[in-house]
Amino acid sequence: MDKPFLAKLRRIDPYVPGEQPQSQNIIKLNANENPYPPAPGVQAALRAFDASSLALYPDANGKALKTALANRFSVKPTQVFLGNGSDDVLALAFQSFFCSGEPILYPDITYSFYPVWCDLFRIPYETVPLDENFCVRLRDYDKPNGGVVLPNPNAPTGRALPLDAIEDLLQHNQDCVVIIDEAYVDFGAASAVPLLSKYENLLVVQTMSKSRSLAGLRIGYALGSETLIATLEAVKNSYNSYTMDAVALAAGEAAVKDETYFQQTCRKVAATRDRAADALRALGFSVSPSLANFLFVTHPQKKAADIFAYLREQGIFIRYFKLPRIDNHLRITVGTDEQMDKLIDALRAYL
Amino acid sequence: MDKPFLAKLRRIDPYVPGEQPQSQNIIKLNANENPYPPAPGVQAALRAFDASSLALYPDANGKALKTALANRFSVKPTQVFLGNGSDDVLALAFQSFFCSGEPILYPDITYSFYPVWCDLFRIPYETVPLDENFCVRLRDYDKPNGGVVLPNPNAPTGRALPLDAIEDLLQHNQDCVVIIDEAYVDFGAASAVPLLSKYENLLVVQTMSKSRSLAGLRIGYALGSETLIATLEAVKNSYNSYTMDAVALAAGEAAVKDETYFQQTCRKVAATRDRAADALRALGFSVSPSLANFLFVTHPQKKAADIFAYLREQGIFIRYFKLPRIDNHLRITVGTDEQMDKLIDALRAYL
């Protein structure tokens, strides 16, 4: 059968999302999810939500959530952009800010969606190698470019740059937009938000998926100058004026307003991370210094792929990337103390 | 101050969403929202939702909602695509299916987002004039093209084509993807879904915003051949693997499963529409035959812009488009009987 319409379809290599095992008995340390529930106000917001109001469109501007975020970060509501998870925000930012035709720069080992968006929006890019310890070499970013994207902490390494290093990067890159992807910043790294008042070309992207335990609700946001935010709004409104639904807006607002719970949860995850890192080192693992909610490890005697397969058989799911330079490493999400103890026990038995 | 980064930003004319008045005392007939609440199961789903599950990512594939929709429409789950409102689905479909460089075709009077997406994705297009009664002239679509988009019923006219006309269009356009945008189909028009088994190049797009009273939740979907749906999934996954949040998935499923409530609500809106159309005709208005949840009207003596402004002063919001051919028309969303009575009373007083 002749199907000429097929020639008009977009040809794209499908991105394959990570495994989401359905069984209840597994220990899921493969998607950097938070092991603790969201703030109690989120459940209360869901219970109190009046379904009849859903017949109307949501506030296209998300005013209440933007105001809550603006208060939390001491910026104006017009400096806040909302999207369906930080992937949505980052994709729009790539499309909106990297239009010069010059290659953008980001690390060779980093979030796997960056090259996907570059291909999707036909943005040229150049990857900048991390050093042998997976550290960013700042001076490598001192060259003409169409933009810079830096996750801080980086993923999957977990390594973070201090605030003065981020400012150094901005000082040397004022002719382009610099995106700092702070998906994991709340577990101990320094946010670049205080630099927003000095650098109009800085966009800070964060998410409620990790530190606020709301991966299931898809809430990401960007903080930046009014110029950058207005550009993001214009591009968003060209796709879809109402990206955020009314329930997510209400639940996200409840999460942002509970600072105490947020701080406690982040501290618990960080403490478990540091304890698990010590236990892994005691088993002979080399563990990259992490300020994120995951650990990036390698073992001098055992192959990462074999450890990954063994743990999977034990019902413990972690992440293995078959990629250059890191194909003997494993990324382990920080779970509860109990989950990490089971992981360590399983690894001890294996070694 | 010199700001070279500005030259790298995307230049775009911002789409300005319609007015969303905040006062409680107004009668809102301007956004084609449903005057009735969603099915009772939606409120129950929100109340029962376990917030702790939000710490995990949602099902990227939306299996439960796809299955419910597949059962409702007698197609396979792999023939269902989900998105954040039908705008999201339509934008992805434009990007995915109109890649040939040939101009796509759609009516000159139609949904205002179509040219916006063409500009965004650099898709050439040609608008096809409706006849003087705002009817589609099918034979005008019998020419080489990169794709066809037809809303049925059309907006803002409310006029619908019967199923045999849609099939005629498909028979003459088998070399491109044909999108039938059925945002308003449930209020009385015939859906093209039964044609899916015959035409692999047909994509039917629907939304839960209108007939299922869920504008606030942002749920749209497309039904099509597995080939078309797989292409949409690949493009979606390149942006953002998790577009639908877990709460919207659960609430949408509850809405789809209550067929009785759905049918009752659609019948009530259709009955009010037909009653209001008669009353408007009795006041001298010319009313286009509508199978949607809105009426498209003009008055031989009074200017549409003046009627619009007068009603606004009375706290009744309808829609006026200052566009060629329709700048003396008004689009009035069908509300409750009580709301429509107030509208008719206000118009009677004005005339």
Side-chain angles (χ1 to χ4, degrees), chain B residues 9 56 73 76 93 95 109 129 133 139 142 155 161 173 201 270 280 283 304 320 337 342:
Chain B
L9 307 191
L56 302 183
F73 291 104
K76 295 184 215 167
Q95 188 179 16
I109 300 170
N133 296 316
R139 294 286 72 78
D142 296 352
L161 288 171
N173 286 282
N201 61 324
L280 288 164
L283 291 178
Y320 171 65
D337 280 324
K342 286 188 180 155

Side-chain angles (χ1 to χ4, degrees), chain A residues 100-115:
Chain A
S100 69
E102 294 166 88
I104 67 163
L105 308 178
Y106 55 79
D108 63 337
I109 300 169
T110 195
Y111 189 37
S112 58
F113 252 126
Y114 299 163

